[in-house]
Amino acid sequence: MPRIVVVSPPFHSHATPLSALAAALRARGAEVYFACAPAFERLAVRAGVRFVPLLVSRNANTGVAEATRQDAAEAARLAEFLDATRKGAVETLVTQARHRRADMLADPDGVYDALGALDERLRPDWYVVDQLSYAATLALHCLGAPYATYCPGHPTYLPAGPGAWFGVPYEWPRALRPERDELDGLHVVARENDSAFTALFDAFAREKAPSVPAPGRAFALTSPYAVLYAYPPLPWLPVPPEGPAHLFAGHMVAPPEPLGTGWRQRLERLRAHADRVVLVALGTFLSARDDVLRTVVSGVLDGTADTAVIVAAGGRRDALADLEGDRAAVAESVPQQALLEHVDAMVHHGGNNSFTECLRAGVPALVLPFSSDQFAVAADAERAGAALVRDPNALLPADVPTALTGLRRAVGPRMPIRARALGNRGPRWGAARLMEAMSERVPAR
């Protein structure tokens, strides 16, 4: 069986699903190594695979972005990003585009050297690398090492044609469609980034590996063998680029562990005062938007009499502590996958993990997208009838109970069908298809 190295960026929302894939590959008989920052070794232990320390990004997020130790420049960019989310969708995407060079290609030489040393030592049959780890993908391309691509978010993270630009949503939800002039400005920034990254990739490859094929368009550089998407195979998605096998696993969620005693007791207390429970979580970065969290919780508590709420508040736990009571539980972090088995709805930010976890669990969602691919994910969730979407910066407390009523009546009844459609997919499905595709396509090293 093959020896596989799974390369993950040091972000909780990427490393956790990649570790689930690593465990599924191991269960298929592969010898698996999980390569990530030292803070994530626990995920390798939990997955039952070997750990290799490897840093492919200077930025990091070990669970709560604001609480993760960062250098001054990284902390400043995080603060600028959060400020931009208050100004709207396009302002946020433009800010992210300006940060892209530092966030995604900070140290290509260091990553190339580290992966080269790892490749020489382990000689894996192939790698799995996160699509957003551009330095790692570029290094593997230059090293001539076979790899499969893991797409952690919306499938359009892999641009499907000349008119598609990384950082520009392929579709917008109805509640957040920008004006034409705003979109024109975003397209200009995205095209500039595309050209700049492509030039950097080309120069790097000519220096390190002049004999290998040119990497071509940087954001479209991907495995020629297989791309595994943690996303459902929605029929309206853009047709992916020709060449590799395109595998839509639906989600990358391992079977959730049962709730611990403490969380079971919290749920019992909430259920004693409410007929329904809503989970609110905006992800490991956007939990910092405690103003939006407060709006949602206040809307539930003041606008309903029969609904309780659980809030993942991240580093803003103390700022929201006054909301806690008979119908509200406020925690720094929550066991999201396990809780989804017990709640009636979720409010989330449109992150790919939250979207697919809700689909798997059959839980309707109110989506409040802020950044990145969240607008495209929200548009898909809306079109699939799995969610309602609202603008987080325009949301008022009075809007929340109305939206939750709409979820219960219009979306909720469809969710068991959505869950059944994904029932046979997930990490095990993805691992099996990935190993099959790679065994058929990858030449022996």
Side-chain angles (χ1 to χ4, degrees):
M1 295 300 286
R3 174 178 293 178
I4 304 168
V5 174
V6 177
V7 179
S8 174
F11 301 106
H12 184 269
S13 58
H14 293 242
T16 300
L18 275 169
S19 69
L21 176 60
L25 289 168
R26 178 191 60 79
R28 300 288 304 179
E31 179 186 354
V32 183
Y33 293 78
F34 187 70
C36 193
F40 293 89
E41 183 174 2
R42 69 188 188 283
L43 295 179
V45 173
R46 188 184 308 164
V49 300
R50 301 182 184 185
F51 179 74
V52 182
L54 179 71
L55 196 61
V56 297
S57 171
R58 290 176 183 165
N59 200 359
N61 177 3
T62 58
V64 176
E66 287 187 303
T68 301
R69 183 172 295 179
Q70 314 269 17
D71 67 27
E74 303 294 345
R77 281 199 297 278
L78 176 59
E80 186 180 359
F81 161 74
L82 291 171
D83 185 58
T85 67
R86 302 174 191 277
K87 300 173 183 176
V90 173
E91 180 72 21
T92 302
L93 292 172
V94 169
T95 298
Q96 290 184 293
R98 290 203 315 269
H99 291 175
R100 200 142 280 145
R101 173 70 173 86
D103 286 345
M104 292 181 167
L105 204 64
D107 184 22
D109 290 285
V111 174
Y112 175 83
D113 291 341
L115 270 171
L118 185 152
D119 191 65
E120 184 67 28
R121 178 161 54 91
L122 295 181
R123 301 304 296 172
D125 293 282
W126 43 277
Y127 294 80
V128 178
V129 63
D130 191 298
Q131 171 68 15
L132 298 189
S133 292
Y134 291 107
T137 297
L138 179 58
L140 292 172
H141 174 82
C142 292
L143 291 166
Y147 66 95
T149 294
Y150 169 75
C151 187
H154 196 272
T156 52
Y157 269 157
L158 180 58
W165 306 100
F166 183 84
V168 179
Y170 91 109
E171 185 57 271
W172 293 85
R174 289 188 292 270
L176 289 108
R177 286 178 178 159
E179 298 296 330
R180 184 71 256 172
D181 60 335
E182 289 185 291
L183 274 179
D184 289 343
L186 177 59
H187 274 87
V188 169
V189 174
R191 288 196 299 268
E192 290 173 349
N193 251 359
D194 192 280
S195 296
F197 264 67
T198 296
L200 285 166
F201 273 41
D202 184 65
F204 186 91
R206 280 189 281 108
E207 176 191 347
K208 301 293 186 183
S211 63
V212 305
R217 189 178 176 190
F219 293 121
L221 179 61
T222 190
S223 168
Y225 307 113
V227 181
L228 179 66
Y229 302 89
Y231 212 77
L234 302 174
W236 57 79
L237 291 171
V239 177
E242 293 184 2
H246 295 279
L247 311 169
F248 288 82
H251 64 83
M252 205 51 59
V253 181
E257 297 180 0
L259 278 177
T261 302
W263 275 107
R264 286 203 310 273
Q265 292 174 345
R266 282 186 179 186
L267 269 174
E268 289 169 2
R269 287 196 295 269
L270 294 174
R271 291 283 185 188
H273 295 88
D275 296 327
R276 287 180 288 276
V277 177
V278 176
L279 173 62
V280 182
L282 300 182
T284 53
F285 283 93
L286 291 161
S287 60
R289 286 297 305 270
D290 57 307
D291 57 322
V292 178
L293 292 175
R294 182 173 288 277
T295 294
V296 174
V297 177
S298 298
V300 171
L301 298 181
D302 298 339
T304 73
D306 61 352
T307 304
V309 62
I310 297 172
V311 190
R316 306 304 173 93
R317 163 72 182 84
D318 291 343
L320 298 173
D322 61 294
L323 297 171
E324 195 149 23
D326 290 340
R327 290 195 292 129
V330 183
E332 179 177 324
S333 62
V334 301
Q336 179 168 308
Q337 294 176 23
L339 279 172
L340 281 172
E341 306 295 320
H342 302 276
V343 301
D344 301 279
M346 183 175 179
V347 181
H348 65 76
H349 58 305
N352 183 67
N353 290 341
S354 293
F355 168 53
T356 56
E357 287 169 18
C358 283
L359 284 180
R360 182 202 62 80
V363 174
L366 172 60
V367 181
L368 309 174
F370 294 83
S371 65
S372 309
D373 64 335
Q374 294 161 21
F375 308 105
V377 171
D380 285 343
E382 185 176 64
R383 185 170 178 177
L388 299 179
V389 183
R390 299 291 183 268
D391 182 346
N393 291 313
L395 191 73
L396 299 174
D399 300 328
V400 177
T402 303
L404 293 178
T405 298
L407 278 181
R408 186 170 68 253
R409 293 177 178 173
V411 177
R414 308 177 189 177
M415 292 309 294
I417 299 171
R418 306 281 180 265
R420 285 196 296 271
L422 292 181
N424 293 326
R425 301 205 179 218
R428 292 179 181 177
W429 183 97
R433 300 307 187 281
L434 189 58
M435 289 183 69
E436 180 181 337
M438 295 299 283
S439 66
E440 291 176 352
R441 294 165 175 251
V442 175
R445 297 191 73 182

